[in-house]
Amino acid sequence: MAAPSMKERQVCWGARDEYWKCLDENTDDASQCKKLRSSFESSCPQQWIKYFDKRRDYLKFKEKFEAGEFQPSKTTAKS
Amino acid sequence: MLLLTRGPMAWHRLSQLKPPALPGTLRGQALHLRSWLLSRQGPAETGGQGQHQGPRLRTRLLITAVFGAGLGGFWLALRAEKERLRQQQRMEALRQAAVGQGDFCLLDHKGQARCKADFRGQWVLMYFGFTHCPDICPDELEKLVQVVQLLEAEPGLPAVQPVFITVDPERDDVTAMARYVQDFHPRLLGLTGSTEQVAQASHSYRVYYSAGPKDEDQDYIVDHSIAIYLLNPDGLFTDYYGRSRSAEQIADSVQRHMAAFRSILP
């Protein structure tokens, strides 16, 4: 399976950006963005979809972390 | 000089006294100094009031000072010699490293064999990645190309050779590399090879890479360290740039290295 060309990459990134924009608008409610999700899935290799999903999770986590929403636990007891 | 502090009355009294009789006065001191200067060369005839040991002490001090200066000079010369030797050894070590360290032999995207020695005389910006990379490799390669273009725009600078080395030799053969590099820059050189050759090149530059699990399409992502490496015309690794550096920052840094560069190879 050949690697995506530059054009194919750009199509994939465009679909991903559309999908993520929809998620941002709908506060990560995936059910509102089903059409964009299927467009995204058809534009990108499967491995890339998994990768981008993980990347989105990471970026969201990073946002929350930088906003200070995670506090270190006060005790050393295991949760 | 202490007498001066005693006030105007004391000073008035003193000024009426005959100068030679009182060694503490200014004039007395001036006379004393003059006689010392005259008597410096040898034993004193006019040794000054009560200072018969003076000239001999002064001479001894002078000889000690000269001797000390001589020793000091000798020590400085030895230190300079040691420093020169150390520099020489360092140059020799660098010359050996320039040839042996970071050596690689790979195939370029036209099927021609290329070893590190082939790039001697050129500045090289290298990036390790793979063609199936989702976003990082294209972004970093775009950045690298931007750096090359910024440097091309500067008059009087030597041309920089951009190089892309794959960490996925299983899939990235010569054809795949040729197809990939054409999208970025006409001078971008793609390098691939056997698994061993790629392993050797990556090891030389401490590049970590690890192929992930394969999915149903037999597709996989290769996890790898992300850096752009700068090699100087002697083939020595000079600097590296991570993801946080912008194209302008990298171009600035390369220009500074170019300005400071002195070849150590014959």
Side-chain angles (χ1 to χ4, degrees):
Chain A
M1 197 190 88
S5 70
M6 178 66 102
K7 287 202 173 60
E8 288 165 352
R9 278 200 292 270
Q10 281 165 343
V11 165
C12 169
W13 293 342
R16 174 202 64 185
D17 291 339
E18 292 288 306
Y19 177 60
W20 282 5
K21 208 161 66 161
C22 171
L23 285 180
D24 286 339
E25 286 163 4
N26 290 293
T27 58
D28 296 327
D29 183 6
S31 60
Q32 300 294 324
C33 306
K34 284 206 178 111
K35 224 173 83 181
L36 287 170
R37 175 80 191 178
S38 60
S39 152
F40 169 48
E41 281 176 6
S42 59
S43 316
C44 302
Q46 211 181 52
Q47 278 285 302
W48 289 25
I49 294 165
K50 285 188 217 163
Y51 171 82
F52 286 133
D53 285 340
K54 277 194 268 183
R55 179 118 184 106
R56 178 154 178 102
D57 284 343
Y58 169 71
L59 288 171
K60 287 283 145 192
F61 168 76
K62 194 169 155 204
E63 255 180 52
K64 286 198 192 133
F65 188 80
E66 281 170 352
E69 283 181 27
F70 292 106
Q71 300 297 327
S73 61
K74 298 270 190 284
T75 67
T76 52
K78 286 185 194 171
S79 55
Chain B
M1 297 305 250
L2 277 169
L3 297 165
L4 287 169
T5 60
R6 294 212 183 163
M9 282 300 288
W11 183 235
H12 178 70
R13 276 206 300 277
L14 278 170
S15 64
Q16 288 169 347
L17 295 165
K18 282 189 192 162
L22 287 168
T25 60
L26 280 169
R27 212 176 138 209
Q29 282 189 333
L31 274 174
H32 171 76
L33 190 66
R34 232 186 70 201
S35 64
W36 176 75
L37 282 167
L38 284 170
S39 65
R40 243 179 44 153
Q41 294 308 314
E45 286 97 2
T46 56
Q49 290 94 352
Q51 300 263 342
H52 294 292
Q53 304 300 322
R56 286 219 292 274
L57 175 65
R58 292 286 190 266
T59 315
R60 284 205 299 270
L61 282 175
L62 195 69
I63 292 171
T64 311
V66 166
F67 190 57
L71 268 180
F74 182 59
W75 175 74
L76 281 171
L78 271 183
R79 210 168 70 135
E81 179 63 27
K82 184 177 162 199
E83 182 62 33
R84 200 186 59 81
L85 203 69
R86 203 183 65 86
Q87 275 287 76
Q88 208 180 31
Q89 284 174 335
R90 186 170 174 267
M91 280 305 188
E92 197 43 54
L94 278 175
R95 268 186 217 110
Q96 285 183 351
V99 172
Q101 172 237 55
D103 197 12
F104 54 79
C105 269
L106 297 161
L107 275 178
D108 71 13
H109 63 270
K110 300 191 178 115
Q112 229 190 331
R114 298 286 201 125
C115 298
K116 195 177 84 155
D118 297 330
F119 294 100
R120 246 180 78 174
Q122 282 185 303
W123 288 89
V124 176
L125 276 171
M126 277 184 355
Y127 179 73
F128 288 79
F130 65 111
T131 66
H132 282 74
C133 186
D135 52 359
I136 296 175
C137 302
D139 280 345
E140 290 296 295
L141 279 173
E142 281 291 353
K143 193 169 76 175
L144 201 157
V145 163
Q146 258 188 319
V147 173
V148 171
Q149 285 168 337
L150 282 170
L151 293 170
E152 278 171 346
E154 289 286 328
L157 286 184
V160 176
Q161 174 63 57
V163 172
F164 172 63
I165 303 184
T166 182
V167 292
D168 186 14
E170 248 189 65
R171 287 186 295 186
D172 292 342
D173 58 5
V174 170
T175 329
M177 293 299 273
R179 197 167 156 260
Y180 193 74
V181 299
Q182 69 183 359
D183 283 332
F184 292 98
H185 191 277
R187 289 194 301 115
L188 176 63
L189 197 69
L191 291 178
T192 180
S194 70
T195 321
E196 292 81 26
Q197 287 172 322
V198 166
Q200 185 207 17
S202 308
H203 182 76
S204 302
Y205 294 96
R206 308 290 186 269
V207 173
Y208 155 77
Y209 65 102
S210 166
K214 291 186 183 164
D215 66 7
E216 302 91 38
D217 291 334
Q218 300 302 303
D219 196 3
Y220 55 90
I221 290 190
V222 182
D223 191 21
H224 62 94
S225 42
I226 302 162
I228 295 175
Y229 296 85
L230 177 68
L231 301 186
N232 70 16
D234 285 342
L236 275 176
F237 163 65
T238 301
D239 209 345
Y240 76 97
Y241 310 103
R243 284 200 78 184
S244 54
R245 305 278 221 115
S246 75
E248 289 82 14
Q249 286 171 328
I250 299 175
D252 271 341
S253 171
V254 174
Q255 269 190 285
R256 270 183 270 127
H257 283 299
M258 282 177 167
F261 173 67
R262 297 278 180 274
S263 181
I264 58 164
L265 292 177

